[in-house]
Amino acid sequence: MCELCKKIIDAKSEYLNALSTGNDFIFEDDEEYWLRIDTGDSGCPGVMKITYCPICGRKLVEDQ
């Protein structure tokens, strides 16, 4: 487990606070995991659905 996936943000209650930090983070929304990164482009953040942490490779979702 790495620093990025150690604390996964709950989208419903913690998302706005996480945005204000300016850091990259993983958030959970309706049992799906998303990576939110600052792309460096002033108005274009990157958000993509993920199943594994992009840093350490830890699986974030359960097999269905």
Side-chain angles (χ1 to χ4, degrees):
M1 187 177 296
C2 67
E3 290 298 318
L4 182 63
C5 67
K6 188 181 291 185
K7 183 167 189 310
I8 296 175
I9 304 299
D10 176 34
K12 292 174 180 52
S13 62
E14 302 173 51
Y15 189 82
L16 291 178
N17 289 335
L19 278 179
S20 66
T21 67
N23 296 328
D24 300 338
F25 59 89
I26 297 173
F27 64 95
E28 181 181 8
D29 188 23
D30 294 328
E31 298 182 16
E32 295 182 326
Y33 293 90
W34 300 82
L35 174 65
R36 199 248 183 228
I37 60 170
D38 182 359
T39 61
D41 188 356
S42 62
C44 186
V47 177
M48 66 184 297
K49 187 176 172 181
I50 60 173
T51 54
Y52 294 88
C53 175
I55 304 298
C56 69
R58 180 174 76 102
K59 190 169 185 176
L60 302 173
V61 297
E62 306 238 351
D63 290 329
Q64 297 179 3

